[in-house]
């Protein structure tokens, strides 16, 4: 049974800092891993998708990596801004899709 | 840019009543999903749907739940006899195929009283 864990549960950083969010999963036979952000009371916005055959994906200030052998993915955010404040979720799985509980990020001006 | 839409945005119902939540996936997508998020908890997978049948479902998706694609655009989730614990945000998502990016709708907040 796939389990997805995200650490830390919460993170508070000053504006401009580079940061790393972690996601670990137990079933390495995932099809892909997707990172989302969720603003309070809102839906999920897709940030990056990494296919199982890929090692990383980049979009603007975001970079996500995937290491299937160790069951880990990281989301790197460069030069954080207050607008990055949100909960970041990772989702992985094969037939059944599993979300982590998320990391609540606060970027302080 | 194409997006997934959901109606209604908020539904209030009494315990024991049936509810139907509606979703319009992105038009060229083939896989459709329902998830729920109980307040303060994580997003949970309910069911995936492909080629007019359920592809996979979780333990949460019991006989009280059903999904349907009644026409070429809508995808619905029916809860036959709602319970208090069904109160949650329900998200619909779609993807072009199983291994492609999922796009989520804004959600329907279901409140069972």
């Amino acid at each position: 049974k796939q389990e997805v864990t995200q650490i830390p549960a919460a993170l508070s950083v000053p504006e401009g800092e580079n940061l790393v969010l972690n996601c670990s999963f137990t079933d390495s036979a995932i099809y892909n891993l997707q990172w989302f952000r969720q603003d309070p009371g809102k839906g999920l916005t897709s940030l990056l998708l990494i296919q199982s055959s890929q090692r990383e994906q980049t979009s603007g200030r975001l970079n996500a990596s995937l290491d299937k052998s160790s069951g880990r993915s990281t989301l790197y955010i460069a030069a954080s801004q207050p607008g990055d404040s949100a909960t970041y979720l990772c989702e992985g799985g094969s037939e059944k899709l599993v979300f982590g509980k998320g990391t609540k990020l606060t970027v302080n001006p | 840019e194409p997006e997934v839409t959901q109606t209604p945005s908020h539904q209030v119902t009494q315990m024991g009543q049936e509810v139907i939540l509606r979703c319009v996936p992105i038009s060229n997508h083939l896989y459709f999903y329902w998830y729920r998020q109980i307040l303060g908890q994580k997003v949970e997978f309910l069911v995936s749907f492909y080629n007019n049948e359920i592809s996979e479902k979780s333990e949460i998706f019991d006989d009280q739940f059903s999904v349907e694609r009644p026409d070429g655009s809508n995808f619905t989730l029916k809860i036959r006899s709602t319970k208090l614990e069904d109160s949650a945000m329900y998200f619909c998502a779609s993807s072009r195929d199983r291994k492609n990016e999922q796009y989520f709708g804004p959600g329907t907040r279901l409140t069972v009283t």
Side-chain angles (χ1 to χ4, degrees), chain A residues 33-78:
Chain A
L33 190 130
Q34 194 166 354
W35 284 91
F36 297 86
R37 70 174 277 168
Q38 185 176 31
D39 293 285
K42 303 287 186 183
L44 282 69
T45 302
S46 176
L47 298 173
L48 288 165
L49 171 78
I50 313 176
Q51 301 280 6
S52 61
S53 58
Q54 297 174 321
R55 297 281 297 188
E56 65 179 309
Q57 283 288 329
T58 298
S59 176
R61 294 183 293 109
L62 306 180
N63 175 277
S65 67
L66 175 65
D67 183 344
K68 284 180 59 178
S69 61
S70 66
R72 292 174 189 265
S73 176
T74 60
L75 179 67
Y76 174 82
I77 303 177

Side-chain angles (χ1 to χ4, degrees), chain A residues 32 38 46 91 94 97, chain B residues 35 37 56 98-99 101-102:
Chain A
N32 53 41
Q38 185 176 31
S46 176
E91 181 198 31
S94 49
L97 298 157
Chain B
Y35 294 79
Q37 186 176 32
E56 194 62 51
R98 175 57 190 85
K99 298 182 182 181
E101 191 170 4
Q102 288 180 306

Side-chain angles (χ1 to χ4, degrees), chain B residues 21-101:
Chain B
L21 309 182
R22 290 181 168 80
C23 168
V24 179
I26 294 172
S27 61
N28 64 347
H29 285 186
L30 301 177
Y31 276 80
F32 315 119
Y33 312 83
W34 282 103
Y35 294 79
R36 78 173 185 190
Q37 186 176 32
I38 295 170
L39 187 64
Q41 298 188 25
K42 70 176 187 176
V43 178
E44 298 174 292
F45 169 76
L46 293 178
V47 66
S48 59
F49 191 86
Y50 169 72
N51 201 25
N52 283 320
E53 59 183 32
I54 290 174
S55 176
E56 194 62 51
K57 61 183 180 179
S58 72
E59 301 78 18
I60 302 167
F61 194 88
D62 61 21
D63 292 344
Q64 292 298 312
F65 292 89
S66 62
V67 289
E68 193 179 30
R69 189 155 163 82
D71 53 43
S73 59
N74 289 285
F75 178 51
T76 62
L77 174 69
K78 182 193 290 186
I79 308 175
R80 288 190 181 81
S81 178
T82 50
K83 310 184 196 90
L84 293 175
E85 53 265 36
D86 293 327
S87 295
M89 184 76 96
Y90 287 81
F91 294 108
C92 173
S94 69
S95 63
R96 205 159 27 158
D97 67 46
R98 175 57 190 85
K99 298 182 182 181
N100 279 115
E101 191 170 4

